[in-house]
């Protein structure tokens, strides 16, 4: 592709502000169009969208790539003649996309040269649409650095993303970044708006070419007066449909032109009373759609898998809660049985004159120690039984001989002493003691054995039921052990489940996490990069251009002719404006009205920084930059 290649978009027209003979052909250089910064404006119905469509058609005719951000759904008519991929958020598009498709969309556009319409109007959720546009713009900027291929991005209603007043979102910041730095990588941008007064002036003043269709609001015509001249501010109100004033850097003059009519279906035309007939639209290759569908299918499978895992986790958590409740009930029953046993022992000891108070305290301490050990380690049932102090040998007969004369509880105490297991009133006879030692405690004994399972405790010859809640050793250890085993199994399953969910979520969000880390690293390094990047831009300039920048820095606003003459030039207008244009393209100077320009180094330093700098910091960076164009070392 030759840099002199041009496309024809309009003809000159007669009227105030026009130059040349009416009917002359108006051409635009392709490279300047694809890699530059443009602005098309005009009130609704004046022809601004038609102008953008004409430019798009001419670029598509010659096989150049572009991406159109369609906010009103009026560009799908291009599919009548061209194979262009239409993506968005409803079934009218070729494929429905989300922010996960942003990387693939940018790859198709830059690497495979596929023209794309990104239909924002098809999204019901504005936040979702804004997120998608932000990610696509980021991916285009990142890939353009490596691709180095001329590519144009058209953005409809740009005042919504780059407002003059109010805060600017991530989309606007990214579009401004493309406008300022995309040219180096071959990425151009065109902003389209019906309200120039509402568009960020930092963007408009940096544009290489501007098209002004009919404007009538006073605030909008004032912008025309500031950028062009007051005579154009009056004439812009009387322009016909499709007619406009066009200003560009390569012509250095304002022309009154009549743009051609678009050739494809006008989907943005105001509906009338006639029947609406949608033309037959061309479809894109199935391979392109299948690549994007694969991303959608993978995303849906991931979401479904996460949903299944969460449901399974909820079931596991519910089961764990049930087991914990059952375990707590078992512990409560065990405590009730322990309290009953303590009451029985206290009564037996009270009627035994042979027991001293010291022996009674010793036995109580041993029982409390056993209970604490049983609660803290429910899985050690057999070890607890083996180490139970109450499994000691019973007292010698001479120590308990007097127990039989202690009253009605003498025989009961003898049974406890011989049994050594402190069951529900365990008895050597094994007849009525299976359910308790006396009729008075039979209901409590039955209640304590509801959820317990019979098991041997080494005293089967006594006929006692080991798990009727009578023994603090056996029942307190056996019941929690079973419940604890189930709980441990559930907890193990829960850990596996949580690991599976973490793996799925990590796979889903790995790209976002990696990009966030890269953004953070970039942000940390952006501070010193401000000076380095700007100095590199300045050092690329030739000596006279550097001296022109020095003139603006030292003298303030001035004309390119004066700056060129001060820099040692001959005062030739073409050479002066050519060098001045290089400064404008790099953002080092800006037009301040009436043909004069001024340096914008301070503003550029502030914009390129990753944080807000105070005046002293800005001036410090600017002073350091001066060495690049004041010392005369640049070639």
């Amino acid at each position: 592709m030759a840099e002199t290649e041009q496309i024809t978009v309009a003809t000159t027209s007669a009227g105030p502000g026009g130059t040349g003979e009416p009917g002359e052909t108006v051409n635009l250089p392709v490279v300047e169009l694809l890699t530059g910064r443009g602005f098309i404006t005009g009130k609704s119905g004046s022809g601004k969208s038609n102008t953008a469509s004409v430019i798009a058609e001419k670029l598509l005719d010659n096989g150049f790539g572009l991406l159109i951000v369609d906010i009103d759904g009026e560009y799908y008519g291009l599919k009548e003649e061209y194979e262009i991929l239409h993506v968005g958020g409803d079934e009218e598009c070729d494929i429905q996309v989300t922010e996960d498709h942003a990387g693939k969309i940018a790859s198709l556009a830059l690497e495979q040269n596929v023209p794309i319409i990104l239909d924002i109007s098809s999204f019901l959720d504005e936040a979702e649409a804004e997120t998608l546009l932000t990610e696509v713009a980021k991916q285009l900027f990142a890939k353009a650095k490596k691709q180095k291929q001329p590519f144009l991005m058209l953005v409809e209603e740009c005042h919504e993303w780059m407002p003059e007043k109010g805060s600017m979102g991530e989309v606007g910041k990214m579009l401004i970044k493309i406008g300022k730095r995309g040219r180096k990588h071959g990425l151009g941008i065109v902003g389209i708006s019906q309200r120039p007064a509402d568009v960020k002036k930092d963007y408009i003043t940096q544009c290489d070419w501007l098209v002004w269709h009919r404007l009538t609001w006073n605030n909008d015509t004032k912008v025309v007066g500031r950028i062009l001249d007051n005579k154009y501010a009056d004439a812009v109100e009387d322009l016909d449909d499709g007619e406009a004033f066009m200003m560009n850097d390569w012509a250095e003059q304002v022309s009154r032109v009549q743009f051609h009519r678009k050739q494809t279906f006008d989907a943005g035309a105001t509906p009338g009373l006639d029947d609406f007939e949608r033309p037959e639209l061309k479809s894109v290759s199935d391979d392109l759609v299948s690549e994007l569908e694969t991303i959608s299918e993978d995303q849906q499978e991931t979401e479904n898998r996460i949903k299944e895992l969460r449901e399974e986790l909820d079931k596991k958590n519910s089961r764990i809660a049930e087991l914990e409740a059952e375990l707590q009930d078992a512990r409560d029953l065990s405590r009730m049985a322990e309290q009953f046993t303590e009451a029985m022992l206290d009564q037996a000891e009270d009627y035994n004159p042979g027991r001293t108070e010291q022996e009674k305290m010793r036995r109580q301490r041993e029982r409390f120690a056993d209970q604490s050990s049983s609660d803290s380690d429910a899985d050690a049932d057999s070890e607890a039984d083996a180490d139970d102090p109450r499994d000691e040998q019973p007292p010698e007969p001479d120590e308990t001989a007097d127990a039989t004369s202690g009253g009605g509880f003498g025989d009961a105490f003898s049974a406890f002493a011989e049994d050594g297991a402190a069951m529900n009133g365990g008895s050597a006879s094994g007849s009525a003691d299976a359910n308790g030692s006396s009729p008075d405690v039979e209901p409590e004994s039955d209640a304590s054995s509801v959820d317990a399972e019979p098991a041997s405790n080494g005293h089967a010859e006594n006929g006692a039921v080991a798990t009727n809640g009578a023994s603090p050793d056996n029942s307190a250890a056996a019941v929690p052990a079973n419940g604890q085993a189930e709980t441990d199994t559930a907890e193990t399953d829960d850990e596996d489940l949580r690991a599976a969910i973490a793996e799925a979520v990590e796979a889903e969000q790995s790209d976002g996490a990696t990009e966030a880390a890269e953004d953070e690293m970039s942000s940390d390094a952006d501070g010193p990069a401000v000076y380095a990047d700007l100095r590199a831009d300045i050092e690329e300039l030739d000596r006279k251009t550097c001296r022109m920048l020095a003139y603006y820095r030292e003298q303030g606003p001035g004309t390119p002719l004066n700056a060129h003459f001060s820099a040692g030039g001959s005062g030739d207008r073409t050479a002066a404006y050519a060098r001045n244009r290089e400064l404008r393209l790099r953002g080092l100077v800006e037009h301040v009205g009436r043909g004069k320009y001024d340096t914008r180094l301070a503003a550029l330093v502030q914009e390129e920084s990753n944080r807000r700098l105070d005046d002293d910091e800005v001036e410090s960076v600017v002073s350091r930059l001066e060495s690049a164009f004041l010392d005369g070392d640049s070639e």
Side-chain angles (χ1 to χ4, degrees):
M1 178 179 64
E3 293 188 2
T4 57
E5 190 168 357
Q6 298 182 337
I7 58 174
T8 302
V9 296
T11 58
T12 57
S13 60
T19 58
E21 293 296 327
E24 292 181 354
T25 299
V26 177
N27 299 321
L28 297 179
V30 172
V31 173
E32 298 291 345
L33 194 64
L34 290 174
T35 62
R37 291 160 287 188
F39 181 62
I40 303 174
T41 185
K43 67 180 301 183
S44 180
S46 64
K48 66 180 186 307
S49 295
N50 176 78
T51 298
S53 295
V54 170
I55 293 174
E57 288 177 350
K58 296 297 183 180
L59 292 175
L60 291 172
D61 285 337
N62 290 275
F64 298 109
L66 76 163
L67 183 142
I68 302 173
V69 180
D70 188 359
I71 199 171
D72 289 321
E74 56 186 350
Y75 284 90
Y76 73 85
L78 291 170
K79 290 176 66 66
E80 184 182 11
E81 295 292 336
Y82 305 101
E83 186 176 327
I84 184 169
L85 181 63
H86 185 199
V87 300
D90 61 20
E91 296 179 354
E92 295 296 327
C93 303
D94 294 327
I95 182 70
Q96 298 180 46
V97 295
T98 65
E99 60 178 300
D100 295 323
H101 297 79
K104 191 60 181 179
I105 291 173
S107 296
L108 290 174
L110 288 175
E111 297 171 6
Q112 300 185 33
N113 201 36
V114 176
I116 297 175
I117 300 173
L118 181 58
D119 194 348
I120 300 298
S121 68
S122 59
F123 287 91
L124 297 178
D125 188 346
E126 292 184 1
E128 183 180 358
E130 185 171 345
T131 301
L132 173 60
L133 178 55
T134 302
E135 291 303 316
V136 170
K138 287 182 179 179
Q139 291 290 337
L140 282 174
F141 186 79
K143 293 182 182 297
K145 289 183 177 180
K146 301 177 181 178
Q147 198 69 16
K148 297 293 184 181
Q149 172 184 332
F151 186 86
L152 182 62
M153 183 177 184
L154 286 88
V155 183
E156 270 282 2
E157 303 300 342
C158 63
H159 60 269
E160 294 195 9
W161 316 114
M162 299 180 289
E164 172 66 9
K165 297 180 181 179
S167 60
M168 186 184 304
E170 290 298 320
V171 175
K173 293 178 181 178
M174 197 63 225
L175 295 179
I176 290 289
K177 186 174 184 179
I178 291 176
K180 291 180 178 179
R181 304 171 64 179
R183 178 190 62 82
K184 300 177 182 179
H185 315 301
L187 180 60
I189 184 172
V190 177
I192 307 168
S193 174
Q194 58 182 328
R195 295 301 308 274
D198 294 339
V199 180
K200 192 74 172 177
K201 297 305 176 292
D202 286 348
Y203 174 78
I204 296 178
T205 56
Q206 293 301 309
C207 287
D208 308 313
W209 58 279
L210 303 96
V211 176
W212 306 85
H213 286 280
R214 185 172 59 255
L215 296 167
T216 56
W217 286 95
N218 187 42
N219 287 343
D220 295 332
T221 57
K222 285 182 178 178
V223 177
V224 178
R226 289 200 301 268
I227 302 298
L228 301 181
D229 196 280
N230 288 332
K231 67 178 182 179
Y232 299 108
D234 297 332
V236 76
E237 300 183 27
D238 300 324
L239 293 173
D240 293 332
D241 292 350
E243 195 175 22
F245 289 117
M246 186 170 68
M247 182 184 77
N248 52 63
D249 282 356
W250 49 86
E252 290 292 343
Q253 64 181 5
V254 178
S255 302
R256 183 167 180 157
V257 300
Q258 178 69 46
F259 278 89
H260 296 162
R261 185 68 182 173
K262 62 185 294 187
Q263 301 300 312
T264 52
F265 173 66
D266 190 1
T270 303
L273 298 178
D274 298 333
D275 293 337
F276 171 79
E277 294 185 5
R278 179 168 176 163
E280 183 178 351
L281 305 178
K282 290 188 176 182
S283 59
V284 296
S285 169
D286 292 337
D287 293 338
L288 296 180
V289 177
S290 64
E291 291 184 42
L292 296 172
E293 286 178 342
T294 301
I295 297 175
S296 299
E297 292 171 357
D298 292 343
Q299 178 188 10
Q300 188 62 45
E301 289 178 1
T302 301
E303 292 177 355
N304 292 339
R305 180 56 179 159
I306 291 176
K307 183 178 179 180
E308 292 174 0
L309 291 174
R310 285 173 176 166
E311 290 176 353
E312 189 175 348
L313 177 61
D314 290 340
K315 292 179 181 178
K316 292 291 184 181
N317 287 335
S318 298
R319 180 57 181 158
I320 290 174
E322 292 175 2
L323 291 175
E324 289 178 345
E326 293 176 5
L327 180 60
Q328 186 60 42
D329 291 343
R331 286 173 176 167
D332 292 342
L333 291 174
S334 177
R335 276 197 225 76
M336 292 173 60
E338 182 68 19
Q339 292 174 1
F340 170 75
T341 304
E342 291 295 332
M344 292 293 298
L345 289 176
D346 288 344
Q347 291 179 6
E349 291 170 353
D350 287 343
Y351 284 91
N352 184 4
R355 291 288 182 186
T356 64
E357 188 66 22
Q358 181 177 4
E359 178 66 14
K360 178 180 177 180
M361 295 294 291
R362 183 185 67 80
R363 288 176 63 97
Q364 287 181 348
R365 284 196 299 271
E366 291 173 349
R367 286 195 298 273
F368 292 153
D370 289 340
Q371 181 178 1
S372 174
S373 173
S374 182
D375 288 341
S376 63
D377 190 5
D379 292 329
D381 187 15
S382 59
E383 294 180 10
D385 289 341
D387 296 338
D388 194 339
R390 283 174 287 181
D391 287 340
E392 297 174 355
Q393 293 295 327
E396 293 297 329
D398 60 335
E399 294 178 4
T400 60
D402 295 336
T404 57
S405 61
F409 293 93
D411 292 339
F413 179 78
S414 298
F416 277 109
E418 294 172 0
D419 224 3
M423 298 276 89
N424 259 356
S427 171
S429 63
S431 59
D433 293 336
N435 292 326
S437 62
S438 69
D440 296 336
V441 296
E442 183 176 352
E444 296 184 22
S445 176
D446 290 340
S448 66
S449 64
V450 172
D451 296 326
E453 296 180 3
S456 174
N457 63 355
H459 302 286
E461 70 277 7
N462 294 332
V465 180
T467 58
N468 268 356
S471 173
D473 327 85
N474 296 336
S475 65
V479 175
N482 294 335
Q484 184 66 34
E486 291 189 47
T487 304
D488 290 343
T489 303
E491 290 177 352
T492 302
D493 293 342
D494 181 44
E495 291 177 0
D496 296 339
L497 183 60
R498 294 181 187 275
I501 289 180
E503 182 178 355
V505 172
E506 181 180 359
E508 180 184 21
Q509 299 179 348
S510 62
D511 291 341
T514 302
E515 182 176 346
E518 292 176 354
D519 288 344
E520 182 178 355
M521 294 175 63
S522 175
S523 176
D524 293 340
D526 196 30
V530 173
Y531 171 77
D533 290 347
L534 293 179
R535 184 177 181 90
D537 274 358
I538 294 173
E539 290 178 343
E540 291 178 1
L541 302 173
D542 61 39
R543 181 172 301 176
K544 287 185 180 179
T545 307
C546 284
R547 289 175 178 172
M548 288 180 67
L549 179 61
Y551 171 84
Y552 290 129
R553 170 68 174 163
E554 295 172 352
Q555 303 297 327
T559 65
L561 287 174
N562 289 340
H564 188 247
F565 186 80
S566 175
S570 62
D572 178 68
R573 178 182 179 85
T574 301
Y577 276 91
R579 287 193 167 90
N580 194 72
R581 178 169 171 270
E582 180 68 17
L583 293 174
R584 284 189 60 196
L585 290 177
R586 297 176 182 271
L588 299 172
V589 300
E590 63 181 346
H591 185 261
V592 294
R594 301 187 180 279
K596 293 185 177 182
Y597 293 80
D598 194 8
T599 178
R600 61 184 309 274
L601 282 173
L604 196 58
V605 169
Q606 191 67 264
E607 291 167 1
E608 297 292 331
S609 176
N610 63 335
R611 62 183 179 83
R612 184 68 183 176
L613 305 177
D614 57 35
D615 293 342
D616 291 340
E617 290 175 314
V618 171
E619 185 60 29
S620 175
V621 176
V622 172
S623 297
R624 293 172 60 195
L625 289 172
E626 287 182 344
S627 61
F629 57 83
L630 292 181
D631 294 346
D633 294 333
S634 300
E635 295 296 339

